[in-house]
Structures are given as C-alpha cells and as structure tokens.
Amino acid sequence: DSGVTQTPKHLITATGQRVTLRCSPRSGDLSVYWYQQSLDQGLQFLIQYYNGEERAKGNILERFSAQQFPDLHSELNLSSLELGDSALYFCASSVGINGGGETQYFGPGTRLLVL
Amino acid sequence: ELKVEQNPLFLSMQEGKNYTIYCNYSTTSDRLYWYRQDPGKSLESLFVLLSNGAVKQEGRLMASLDTKARLSTLHITAAVHDLSATYFCAVGAQKLVFGQGTRLTINP
C-alpha cells in the first residue's frame, strides 16, 4: 500500500457524460500527478500539481481538467467522454516538486469504462 | 521528444535462470526509475537511479544506469515465480515517460 488513495475504483458511464476522479496523496506529499494507462497508448503522463498550482502538463486532452485543493487532494474531471477514454487512471504523489529525482508513489487507480 | 524503449516486451523464463531487461531512452537524462506492476494492480517503485554508473540491488533484482549510452538494465538473478509481473522503466522528472513494459513470466 503506497498511501495514495483513489476513488472510485471502478466507473462505468456512457459516451458524452462527465466524471470526476478523486485522489488523496500520501501524508506530507505536496505533488500530485495523473497518468492514463491504456492498451494502445501505454502509460502516459497527464498533469502535475504542486501545492495547489499546475506545474507540468503532458498530453492531456482539452476535455480533461484537474485541480488540487487546499487540503492537497486532487480531482481529475473528464467530460464529453468517448469510447477511447476507457482506461486505467492513476494518481501518484511525491514529497516535492520532483526536480531532484524523487520517487512518485502510485495509487491503486480508477478503472473507467465508457460504453 | 523523449522516447523510452524496453526490450524484450515479453519474456518467459524458467525458475533459477538469469536474465536482463533493457531500457533505452532517446535524450539525455540522469534520472531513471524502475517500477513493477502486477496484473490489475498499481505500480510499485523498485529503483531510482540518479547518476551515471548508479547500481542498486534489492533481492534478486539489480538495476544499473549508463547515462552516456542512455541505457539502463534490470538484471534478474535466479528467478523465482514471485517475480512474474510487468516491469516498466521511466525517465524524466515531473513528467515521467514510460517504456512499453516487459511482461515477465517465470515458470516453475
């Protein structure tokens, strides 16, 4: 158990809908990262927040957005869902901003199925 | 654009044998990570390699980094069934770029 929690574990929804994934980092960690894992794209970095501010952005679609709240939990919002958005979404956390090679600890993931 | 490639992508081996997984990356980096993922599970951090020539060992796994060759290796010694999993290398700082993963199956 990494100490990173994610809810829900599973999510089934329909195309065109909007969902919110939630992540709580390890105690003391200020950075939260979001990744998407799919069979065709592999593991892809989406976005990083550090202490409430966006710090790095990857190949995140415009239909997706994220934020980190004052209590450091983060939410990933996925809207206008398409079949291709079906994937495993991981949250990870680290102590700092990760300029020094810190380990990113991964949560259990949310499995999203869009029908 | 940073690219990370692992080989082999699939590896089936017998218990007791040794083998190596290779991770090549396309641009200069002195930070490389190895993760393990069991089916349907999360990623577990194995090693963080932060400098040229870094070598780390944990049990039957040993990882090394050659930044000049842009190559990291994960060596498995005397494999046991419990090491069956998918192994990923990743390069970067905030934005980790992952390899495709190596699915390792160890047969009794």
Side-chain angles (χ1 to χ4, degrees):
Chain A
D1 184 357
S2 67
V4 179
T5 61
Q6 289 186 247
T7 57
K9 289 186 179 179
H10 303 278
L11 201 47
I12 302 174
T13 188
T15 54
Q17 296 297 305
R18 172 188 168 95
V19 297
T20 297
L21 313 184
R22 181 187 170 103
C23 167
S24 292
R26 295 186 321 154
S27 177
D29 284 0
L30 298 179
S31 272
V32 170
Y33 312 78
W34 288 98
Y35 291 85
Q36 179 193 60
Q37 185 177 34
S38 62
L39 284 175
D40 54 343
Q41 299 286 336
L43 265 161
Q44 288 205 312
F45 168 80
L46 296 178
I47 198 163
Q48 177 204 8
Y49 279 82
Y50 172 78
N51 204 19
E53 292 188 4
E54 181 185 310
R55 295 298 302 192
K57 210 166 186 177
N59 297 325
I60 187 167
L61 299 172
E62 285 191 9
R63 301 184 285 108
F64 295 2
S65 65
Q67 55 183 326
Q68 186 179 29
F69 294 87
D71 67 352
L72 301 177
H73 91 273
S74 177
E75 292 181 357
L76 179 67
N77 300 295
L78 315 177
S79 61
S80 303
L81 284 167
E82 301 175 359
L83 296 177
D85 297 327
S86 296
L88 192 51
Y89 290 84
F90 285 111
C91 167
S93 73
S94 69
V95 172
I97 204 167
N98 209 358
E102 303 159 11
T103 297
Q104 293 185 23
Y105 294 91
F106 281 72
T110 293
R111 187 172 294 278
L112 173 67
L113 180 59
V114 182
L115 299 175
Chain B
E1 179 188 348
L2 173 60
K3 293 188 177 179
V4 181
E5 292 190 353
Q6 291 180 232
N7 72 84
L9 299 185
F10 299 92
L11 179 55
S12 181
M13 47 192 293
Q14 287 185 315
E15 280 191 329
K17 301 290 186 182
N18 303 333
Y19 210 80
T20 300
I21 300 170
Y22 297 89
C23 174
N24 290 91
Y25 53 97
S26 61
T27 62
T28 302
S29 176
D30 57 0
R31 299 166 193 172
L32 191 134
Y33 307 80
W34 284 97
Y35 285 88
R36 167 183 171 146
Q37 186 178 35
D38 291 305
K41 303 291 186 182
S42 184
L43 282 83
E44 175 191 353
S45 175
L46 295 175
F47 301 108
V48 180
L49 303 169
L50 297 177
S51 61
N52 186 41
V55 177
K56 290 197 174 178
Q57 183 165 4
E58 180 73 35
R60 301 174 187 275
L61 301 178
M62 183 173 72
S64 65
L65 178 62
D66 181 343
T67 58
K68 294 179 182 177
R70 299 176 188 166
L71 170 69
S72 179
T73 59
L74 180 66
H75 187 72
I76 302 148
T77 301
V80 293
H81 179 68
D82 286 352
L83 291 179
S84 296
T86 298
Y87 292 85
F88 290 94
C89 64
V91 178
Q94 292 107 317
K95 298 182 187 183
L96 288 186
V97 177
F98 283 82
Q100 311 96 309
T102 297
R103 184 176 297 180
L104 174 63
T105 303
I106 299 170
N107 305 302

